[in-house]
Amino acid sequence: MAVLAGPADGARAQTQPETEAEILTGLLVVELLVVYAYRRALEIAPLSAPVRSLASLVLTHEHAHVARLSDELARRGAPLPDGPADLAAANLEVEQHSQVPVTFLKAKTEHDWLRLLVGVERVAEGAYYLATAKLTTPRYLSLAAETMASDAQHAGWVALHLHKGEIDKAVPNAFVQGIP
Amino acid sequence: MVTVSSRRTLLRASGIAAAAALLDGCGGTDTTKAELHRAPSTVRRTDVHLLNRLLDLENRTASAYAAGIPLLTGAAARNAEQFLGQELSHAGELAGLVKEAGGMPVPRGASYPLGSLRTAAEVLRLLHELERLQISSYLAAIPRLEPGSLRAAVVTILANDAQHLSFIRSAARLDALPSPFVTGAQ
């Protein structure tokens, strides 16, 4: 399958429209990164009790996102991607997204980690936003919309902690796109 | 197993062309946004009715926020003020899309049946119901809209209304995040 090939087929992906399986796979890749981020934060970040509680709940949601996308891909007989192999791989992934202002290797304080988590949620929002334009199967569009809405909620609450209760900074945009 | 280079290909497939472009050293996020902005944005006349129904809902919800804010205090009031502005933006966007299709945007009503609002709890209950209704309406509409850029435009509104719903639920002392998939059922 093209999704498992190297840069040459990556070039093909840029000139030919993606299949819906490829789009779903791409969404799953992003959600696996989000899962990694919350898991890592809960493991090592100096989080206050309220933030830890929020992150724990959100992680259960992100696992559900991964499960649903995985189920859809399994129905199609498509291979499932793995999450980031290790910290270095995860760090490389977040470095590619301008929405994530702090990398795993640089996040030290709770403030850093909150910025990182908001960032990865925005990456997810952006992925679903773009996917909604390209998907056509109603079932997949519903999945994308329902999950994007969930990730937007997560971003809002994490950002509320980041910005110490300032709602205009936590929910600043009337149109949630994720991409800057 | 998916290798690192395969994950780069998969990032492209996710539609995050910007990330892939960065990996290739070719470009930035402008490419991704530009792709959507250049996409055919012609709204079909057949979508006018759908969009007008969503617009009417947004108008009604905005009216509810405006009527309810004086009864709210503290964070609930500040949130509602922020969200009212966003609901008005949603209405403006939908009205623009209707006009783009050659249709006439449904006008904002002089008043809407909001029930008797006497307490903060009643306001929050009403806002909760309206935000839920908006979300379920957007979810029903999205698969029926063409082209893809229109669906993407509408999903950005849905996602923001989902944020409103979550904070309204919290103010009403309900679980803010009851489900990993926002369907409007809660």
Side-chain angles (χ1 to χ4, degrees), chain B residues 65 68-74 76-78 80-81 119-121 123-124 127 168 171:
Chain B
Y65 273 103
I69 284 170
L71 291 169
L72 300 174
T73 58
R78 288 192 297 275
E81 286 167 6
T119 66
V123 170
L124 293 171
L127 294 176
I168 293 293

Side-chain angles (χ1 to χ4, degrees), chain A residues 18 20 23 126-137 141 144-145 148 176-177 179, chain B residues 32-44 47 51 93 97 100 138 141-157:
Chain A
E18 303 102 327
E20 289 199 304
I23 295 169
Y128 285 105
Y129 165 63
L130 294 170
T132 302
K134 298 178 185 184
L135 293 166
T136 55
T137 301
L141 283 166
M148 179 180 176
V176 176
Q177 294 181 350
I179 50 177
Chain B
T32 309
K33 288 176 82 172
E35 280 177 4
L36 261 182
H37 289 150
R38 278 199 300 270
S41 60
T42 307
V43 183
R44 303 175 307 181
D47 288 336
L51 292 171
E93 173 76 1
L97 290 169
E100 194 178 311
Y138 279 114
I142 283 169
R144 299 167 60 185
L145 295 171
E146 286 288 343
S149 55
L150 176 59
R151 290 196 298 273
V154 169
V155 87
T156 69
I157 299 175

Side-chain angles (χ1 to χ4, degrees), chain B:
Chain B
M1 190 182 81
V2 177
T3 65
V4 171
S5 64
S6 304
R7 283 180 66 81
R8 294 180 184 189
T9 307
L10 290 169
L11 280 171
R12 283 196 194 91
S14 77
I16 310 179
L22 284 171
L23 288 168
D24 294 338
C26 298
T29 56
D30 285 346
T31 306
T32 309
K33 288 176 82 172
E35 280 177 4
L36 261 182
H37 289 150
R38 278 199 300 270
S41 60
T42 307
V43 183
R44 303 175 307 181
R45 286 202 68 89
T46 50
D47 288 336
V48 167
H49 178 63
L50 255 180
L51 292 171
N52 259 335
R53 280 171 57 188
L54 296 171
L55 172 57
D56 188 56
L57 255 179
E58 289 283 355
N59 285 336
R60 189 173 10 151
T61 305
S63 291
Y65 273 103
I69 284 170
L71 291 169
L72 300 174
T73 58
R78 288 192 297 275
N79 292 356
E81 286 167 6
Q82 175 76 355
F83 299 163
L84 170 57
Q86 293 175 341
E87 299 294 353
L88 291 171
S89 294
H90 298 166
E93 173 76 1
L94 288 167
L97 290 169
V98 168
K99 286 181 198 167
E100 194 178 311
M104 185 69 71
V106 63
R108 183 175 302 143
S111 65
Y112 291 93
L114 302 176
S116 83
L117 297 178
R118 291 161 301 185
T119 66
E122 286 173 348
V123 170
L124 293 171
R125 196 174 307 127
L126 174 64
L127 294 176
H128 182 226
E129 282 310 302
L130 289 172
E131 291 286 9
R132 286 202 312 129
L133 183 56
Q134 288 195 119
I135 284 165
S136 56
S137 299
Y138 279 114
L139 286 172
I142 283 169
R144 299 167 60 185
L145 295 171
E146 286 288 343
S149 55
L150 176 59
R151 290 196 298 273
V154 169
V155 87
T156 69
I157 299 175
L158 161 69
N160 184 229
D161 281 333
Q163 293 175 317
H164 298 173
L165 177 65
S166 185
F167 284 95
I168 293 293
R169 285 182 59 88
S170 177
R173 301 196 190 286
L174 300 170
D175 278 342
L177 301 171
S179 171
F181 303 102
V182 181
T183 63
Q186 301 189 50

